[in-house]
Amino acid sequence: MPEKIYRVDVCIVGAGPAGMILGLLLAHQGIKVLVLESHHDFEREYRGEVLMPRFIQMMRQTGLLSHLEKYPHLKLKNFEFHYKDKVLANVDFAGLCPQAPFALWMSQTVMLNALREKAVTYPNFQLLFGVTARDVVREGGKIVGVMGTRRAQQIEVRARVTVGADGRASAMRKTAEFKMEYEDYDFDVVWFTVKRREQFENTVRAFFTPRRTYLILPKHPDLVQCGILVGKGEFSQIREQGIGAMRQELLSAHPVLHDFARQLTDFEPFSVLQARVSYVARWAKEGCLLIGDAAHTCSPAGAIGVSVAAATAIVAADVIIKGFKRGDLSLATLNKVQMLRGSDVQRIQTTQAAFTRAALLRYPRLRPLALLIIFTLARAGIMPKFFRRIVVMDGPLPVDPAISLENPAVV
Ligand SMILES: Cc1cc2nc3c(=O)[nH]c(=O)nc-3n(C[C@H](O)[C@H](O)[C@H](O)COP(=O)(O)OP(=O)(O)OC[C@H]3O[C@@H](n4cnc5c(N)ncnc54)[C@H](O)[C@@H]3O)c2cc1C
């Protein structure tokens, strides 16, 4: 028996970008929201934290941009593709998207705290840290809430809609028995952080060498976040070759890595991310919806995971708000989220796959050919067009303008 039972309109499992944005937009409309987060706070290492122009576009659409801009961030003007010491292509965000002419670097700790600070101004919003959702509550074939634990305490939440926003390893997806349409992974990203050198521009860089591809991203306030793209499981072979070989590789890669490489004594600074891509076949069941990475995980190509997760959260908010207004939160209503978002997510995943899987990594022996393709695309000026498909939204999200925090509530 649960020791405590909460009764709310919407229960959201996971206080990542998707869960927090959904919770905030619903709370603004007077809907009673409870967000459950297994961590005890937002203070942790999130690694890549670049938010592309599509994120800026949707934050402006929801009236959140001016709020987020009050918190520490960096504005990034361009994305450069380098080969050795040459700039192959310089993709200027202003040229790609005049309405959102920059990407943002904002620590996810800062962003989530900023969303929480706004959300708690609504008395109908509650966030419980330290609660891990363990199972869904079912009644008559419908999902009516979740069961979770907080320290040794059992809690139960009863809700008209239960949302799984609990990320790529979603427990909600498993316990509510959602089926994957596809799940794949082709490569790993080895992440590490180095000190920024003076006069290192605030630019996002993809850096090609004859052997590998590196991502080099600014990190607030004076760091650089680096990612090495390696084959699936290849990092264990790199470790076997020893730290000396790794040091040599980094020394021959890019000057920004030199100081870090010289001081390298072991593999402790490195962490490996499997570049998983997944898509859940149906994102909704009676009473329950998956959003964000729990429903669709994107590859790291283009650094758009947060943007794609946030877009689904915003559309979900609009669908749920209209559902409350009409008194219809049926499966047909919840299915609208996927109807409105599914094709965009799949188009992005397909474009990412074209860039990374086919050309760069699946056939390492064809790397010279892949590089030739990249040079040709860069010279022909096609790179920005290709890149635009990933980092910019063609138009606003299909939601009611009333959803914006700048407008009064409609429910
Ligand atoms: C190493 C790395 C680098 C990345 N770099 C970038 C980048 O530069 N730009 C970008 O746009 N995207 C990037 N991404 C992708 C981005 O982080 C994700 O796409 C995005 O965070 C997804 O948001 P979400 O809210 O759906 O899930 P998440 O951010 O994963 O949030 C899920 C939340 O649910 C909580 N949770 C999980 N299980 C439970 C449970 N059972 N009960 C309660 N709470 C639970 C988790 O603690 C977490 O807080 C990166 C991802 C990784 C792993």
Side-chain angles (χ1 to χ4, degrees):
M1 274 295 286
E3 287 155 62
K4 180 145 189 175
I5 300 182
Y6 295 83
R7 292 181 197 280
V8 292
D9 294 326
V10 178
C11 173
I12 301 169
V13 177
M20 286 305 293
I21 290 170
L22 174 63
L24 172 54
L25 294 175
L26 295 179
H28 176 64
Q29 301 294 337
I31 292 170
K32 192 172 176 192
V33 182
L34 176 61
V35 183
L36 306 178
E37 169 56 48
S38 56
H39 283 84
H40 293 274
D41 53 35
F42 293 133
E43 304 296 326
R44 52 192 187 271
E45 177 65 62
Y46 291 92
R47 313 233 155 63
E49 295 170 311
V50 173
L51 303 164
M52 285 295 175
R54 57 166 64 234
F55 185 78
I56 312 299
Q57 290 171 286
M58 63 185 81
M59 288 302 102
R60 189 167 282 142
Q61 194 180 349
T62 49
L64 265 166
L65 186 61
S66 52
H67 174 67
L68 289 179
E69 280 182 321
K70 291 179 198 151
Y71 293 80
H73 64 275
L74 296 173
K75 282 195 174 129
L76 312 174
K77 300 257 161 26
N78 59 336
F79 196 127
E80 288 177 357
F81 293 85
H82 288 242
Y83 179 70
K84 292 189 175 168
D85 52 357
K86 281 201 188 72
V87 179
L88 292 179
N90 179 358
V91 182
D92 192 1
F93 292 129
L96 287 191
C97 182
Q99 317 79 22
F102 58 89
L104 213 59
W105 190 93
M106 180 176 264
S107 126
Q108 213 173 110
T109 304
V110 169
M111 180 176 75
L112 296 175
N113 274 318
L115 294 170
R116 181 184 54 171
E117 277 172 28
K118 189 83 184 166
V120 295
T121 61
Y122 300 100
N124 47 312
F125 176 92
Q126 194 180 4
L127 165 62
L128 290 182
F129 280 119
V131 177
T132 301
R134 305 275 177 202
D135 205 350
V136 290
V137 181
R138 288 188 174 84
E139 248 175 39
K142 192 176 169 189
I143 292 168
V144 294
V146 287
M147 283 181 290
T149 48
R150 191 183 205 188
R151 297 187 191 96
Q153 193 190 34
Q154 295 278 342
I155 67 162
E156 186 174 309
V157 183
R158 294 282 176 140
R160 290 181 67 191
V161 182
T162 303
V163 179
D166 50 345
R168 57 182 57 204
S170 171
M172 290 291 290
R173 192 172 63 214
K174 284 183 208 107
T175 57
E177 297 171 350
F178 283 91
K179 302 254 179 311
M180 284 290 190
E181 187 162 315
Y182 50 81
E183 189 176 18
D184 198 9
Y185 111 87
D186 278 334
F187 64 97
D188 293 329
V189 186
V190 180
W191 288 101
F192 58 102
T193 305
V194 307
K195 265 281 207 219
R196 191 185 320 192
R197 290 172 142 213
E198 274 175 33
Q199 292 164 346
F200 189 74
E201 299 277 321
N202 282 336
T203 297
V204 187
R205 292 173 174 84
F207 184 76
F208 303 101
T209 71
R211 197 158 161 220
R212 291 202 204 283
T213 301
Y214 297 81
L215 301 173
I216 299 183
L217 320 169
K219 187 173 168 85
H220 192 79
D222 58 355
L223 299 171
V224 176
Q225 181 76 51
C226 303
I228 314 175
L229 276 58
V230 301
K232 200 170 171 174
E234 194 187 338
F235 191 60
S236 54
Q237 293 159 26
I238 294 175
R239 287 183 76 110
E240 277 167 22
Q241 286 161 8
I243 197 68
M246 186 64 163
R247 196 182 302 121
Q248 279 313 315
E249 175 177 334
L250 297 179
L251 281 170
S252 63
H254 191 289
V256 77
L257 308 178
H258 288 178
D259 292 344
F260 170 80
R262 284 192 202 103
Q263 288 161 23
L264 201 56
T265 53
D266 56 33
F267 285 96
E268 189 65 26
F270 301 100
S271 66
V272 182
L273 160 77
Q274 294 179 346
R276 283 198 179 277
V277 176
S278 68
Y279 187 90
V280 171
R282 290 184 181 275
W283 304 354
K285 287 180 183 256
E286 283 287 356
C288 186
L289 175 69
L290 296 182
I291 63 167
D293 275 16
H296 46 70
T297 305
C298 290
S299 124
I304 38 82
V306 170
S307 307
V308 178
T312 303
I314 295 163
V315 169
D318 190 58
V319 166
I320 293 172
I321 290 163
K322 287 174 180 156
F324 269 100
K325 260 169 89 180
R326 288 196 318 270
D328 174 9
L329 293 160
S330 62
L331 178 59
T333 294
L334 298 182
N335 273 337
K336 286 186 185 151
V337 178
Q338 186 172 9
M339 282 163 56
L340 292 165
R341 286 287 304 138
S343 58
D344 183 46
V345 171
Q346 290 189 313
R347 189 180 62 88
I348 289 169
Q349 289 180 332
T350 310
T351 311
Q352 289 183 309
F355 195 66
T356 51
R357 202 185 289 172
L360 290 178
L361 288 145
R362 182 168 271 187
Y363 310 108
R365 274 188 228 134
L366 296 183
R367 188 159 175 84
L369 178 63
L371 287 172
L372 184 68
I373 293 168
I374 289 166
F375 288 165
T376 313
L377 289 176
R379 282 214 193 97
I382 293 170
M383 211 79 127
K385 284 190 197 130
F386 192 73
F387 196 56
R388 190 181 187 286
R389 286 171 62 93
I390 302 183
V391 304
V392 176
M393 286 200 302
D394 284 334
L397 289 169
V399 298
D400 196 320
I403 200 171
S404 168
L405 294 198
E406 282 161 5
N407 294 326
V410 291
V411 171

